[in-house]
Amino acid sequence: AQTVTQSQPEMSVQEAETVTLSCTYDTSESNYYLFWYKQPPSRQMILVIRQEAYKQQNATENRFSVNFQKAAKSFSLKISDSQLGDTAMYFCAFRNFGNEKLTFGTGTRLTIIP
Amino acid sequence: KAGVTQTPRYLIKTRGQQVTLSCSPISGHRSVSWYQQTPGQGLQFLFEYFSETQRNKGNFPGRFSGRQFSNSRSEMNVSTLELGDSALYLCASSLYGVDTGELFFGEGSRLTVL
């Protein structure tokens, strides 16, 4: 069974700074997806960024980028130039190819301080 | 394009009652998944439906059931409610076949069991 671990329950950072959220996972599969989802206080889960395991290049989406280390089974999220709207719970998630089930980590509550 | 719509948004039930939650996926999406979110257990996968067939099921008792209709709308039902069923129930839809890897979530149905 796959597991996803987020070791930072809470983090806070000053506005405009850079913050990195950690995630590790465990799987015996070779083809899978990894995701970071954001859940603001309004509660709708929003996809931040995704990474296909077969791609060596790290995914980036504007201010969001990942550091994907497949051998180490690590998938961290870097948020650059953080903004107040980045305040949210961030969940790391895993999904096998051909399977719609997402396995989530326990989440990191990120607070951006003005 | 309308997003994933869940109804009702909030509901209060008493122990022993049953509840039905509804989810309308994004137009064209054929896969619908359900997740339970609680402070203690985090986000847990309930089940996934595709073309009216349940393809995956999580580790929940038989009191939790679901179905999908020909228009891809889905319902989940919880019978004989227990206090521990109080949670946010999230529905997610995706385009299976294109396999983009992305799930789109609704805002959830907040169930309180008294």
Side-chain angles (χ1 to χ4, degrees), chain A residues 33 35 37 39 42-45 47 50 52 91 95 97-102 104, chain B residues 9-10 31 35 37 43 45 48 55-56 94 96 99-103 105 107-108:
Chain A
Y33 297 103
F35 305 87
Y37 276 91
Q39 189 177 39
S42 65
R43 127 188 143 184
Q44 185 166 19
M45 198 87 72
L47 178 66
R50 77 165 189 262
E52 290 86 348
F91 292 96
R95 204 191 97 176
F97 267 33
N99 186 324
E100 302 296 292
K101 174 185 173 182
L102 279 172
F104 287 91
Chain B
R9 293 284 306 278
Y10 302 89
S31 172
Y35 291 82
Q37 186 175 19
L43 283 150
F45 172 76
E48 183 246 342
R55 292 197 303 187
N56 282 302
S94 69
Y96 190 73
D99 202 17
T100 63
E102 181 170 356
L103 271 64
F105 283 83
E107 293 186 297

Side-chain angles (χ1 to χ4, degrees), chain B residues 49-67:
Chain B
Y49 288 87
F50 178 76
S51 291
E52 303 178 63
T53 301
Q54 186 183 87
R55 292 197 303 187
N56 282 302
K57 190 177 190 305
N59 294 325
F60 280 83
R63 299 185 298 106
F64 292 81
S65 63
R67 60 177 174 169

Side-chain angles (χ1 to χ4, degrees), chain A residues 7-61:
Chain A
S7 58
Q8 305 151 312
E10 292 189 33
M11 296 186 72
S12 60
V13 66
Q14 293 288 138
E15 191 176 5
E17 291 186 345
T18 295
V19 61
T20 299
L21 308 183
S22 301
C23 173
T24 58
Y25 60 95
D26 189 23
T27 183
S28 58
E29 303 291 334
S30 57
N31 292 321
Y32 49 87
Y33 297 103
L34 293 163
F35 305 87
W36 279 98
Y37 276 91
K38 167 185 175 181
Q39 189 177 39
S42 65
R43 127 188 143 184
Q44 185 166 19
M45 198 87 72
I46 303 166
L47 178 66
V48 174
I49 198 166
R50 77 165 189 262
Q51 175 83 39
E52 290 86 348
Y54 64 85
K55 291 185 179 179
Q56 292 187 334
Q57 187 172 7
N58 289 326
T60 61
E61 286 287 340

Side-chain angles (χ1 to χ4, degrees), chain B residues 79-113:
Chain B
S79 62
T80 318
L81 284 166
E82 301 177 359
L83 296 178
D85 298 333
S86 293
L88 180 65
Y89 290 89
L90 294 171
C91 169
S93 73
S94 69
L95 269 171
Y96 190 73
V98 177
D99 202 17
T100 63
E102 181 170 356
L103 271 64
F104 295 83
F105 283 83
E107 293 186 297
S109 293
R110 170 76 65 187
L111 171 65
T112 302
V113 182

Side-chain angles (χ1 to χ4, degrees), chain A residues 15-16 38-42 46 48 63-64 79 81-90 110-114:
Chain A
E15 191 176 5
K38 167 185 175 181
Q39 189 177 39
S42 65
I46 303 166
V48 174
R63 298 182 295 107
F64 299 88
I79 305 173
D81 185 26
S82 56
Q83 301 174 359
L84 297 180
D86 295 333
T87 293
M89 282 289 289
Y90 286 81
L110 176 65
T111 302
I112 308 300
I113 303 166

Side-chain angles (χ1 to χ4, degrees), chain B residues 20-59:
Chain B
T20 299
L21 308 178
S22 178
C23 173
S24 294
I26 291 172
S27 178
H29 285 194
R30 297 173 63 192
S31 172
V32 174
S33 304
W34 289 89
Y35 291 82
Q36 182 196 63
Q37 186 175 19
T38 61
Q41 299 299 315
L43 283 150
Q44 292 188 291
F45 172 76
L46 280 157
F47 28 64
E48 183 246 342
Y49 288 87
F50 178 76
S51 291
E52 303 178 63
T53 301
Q54 186 183 87
R55 292 197 303 187
N56 282 302
K57 190 177 190 305
N59 294 325

